[in-house]
Amino acid sequence: SVVALHEGTLLLEEGAEPTPPSMMVDMGVYGAENCSSCHADAFDKPTAETCGTNCHGEMDYGFMFDEIRNEFDTVKAPLDALNIELYKALNKMTAEQKAQFNKFKEYYDALAYDKSKGIHNNELYRGIAEKATAIGTELANGLGIPVPAGEQN
């Protein structure tokens, strides 16, 4: 598996130790035992407001919450488009290309299932997105599929 998942969110790559630059990891907030640091109960999801003032007192870091989530959406949007285009070409793929597509999907699905939108480990989702982009772009190029804007570096 690409990453360890906990209730639909990215935590850490299998066997990896938590490392910076994730702001939550920097503060020692990771792993299931620390969920209540941000998740007061099962029904209230953290927001920029609760993140900014509940954890940091008078220093409002809530803007970072929104920035990370917005960046996640920006990074994922071209992969969403690429996923659709690759699915359309599935019946044209060779066995090797289907294997490559499955690898792309493994990374893409890890992003799609991250309901925290990068908050749990913002550096991890960037790495996964880079892998999905590289694999998906190579596959799309091999199939003659135009790569959605934002995908090619």
Side-chain angles (χ1 to χ4, degrees), residues 76-138:
K76 188 174 170 290
L79 288 169
D80 292 339
L82 183 58
N83 182 52
I84 290 168
E85 293 305 313
L86 290 174
Y87 255 119
K88 289 179 187 176
L90 196 56
N91 63 348
K92 299 176 188 172
M93 292 182 193
T94 65
E96 184 178 304
Q97 288 170 325
K98 285 180 182 177
Q100 191 175 13
F101 176 70
N102 287 336
K103 186 181 279 190
F104 164 80
K105 284 293 290 175
E106 186 177 351
Y107 290 110
Y108 174 79
D109 287 346
L111 287 178
Y113 295 137
D114 183 9
K115 303 306 180 201
S116 82
K117 290 189 169 189
I119 295 296
H120 286 156
N121 194 322
N122 58 327
E123 193 60 27
L124 177 61
Y125 91 76
R126 286 184 193 115
I128 291 171
E130 287 174 12
K131 290 175 183 177
T133 298
I135 294 166
T137 299
E138 181 182 338

Side-chain angles (χ1 to χ4, degrees), residues 34-101:
N34 288 309
C35 293
S36 62
S37 297
C38 299
H39 299 272
D41 63 53
F43 303 103
D44 290 328
K45 292 186 178 181
T47 65
E49 292 77 28
T50 59
C51 169
T53 55
N54 289 359
C55 295
H56 302 284
E58 293 189 22
M59 297 191 67
D60 185 7
Y61 288 100
F63 69 93
M64 292 174 74
F65 183 94
D66 287 334
E67 284 179 359
I68 290 169
R69 291 174 64 93
N70 289 337
E71 180 184 321
F72 180 92
D73 288 340
T74 300
V75 166
K76 188 174 170 290
L79 288 169
D80 292 339
L82 183 58
N83 182 52
I84 290 168
E85 293 305 313
L86 290 174
Y87 255 119
K88 289 179 187 176
L90 196 56
N91 63 348
K92 299 176 188 172
M93 292 182 193
T94 65
E96 184 178 304
Q97 288 170 325
K98 285 180 182 177
Q100 191 175 13
F101 176 70

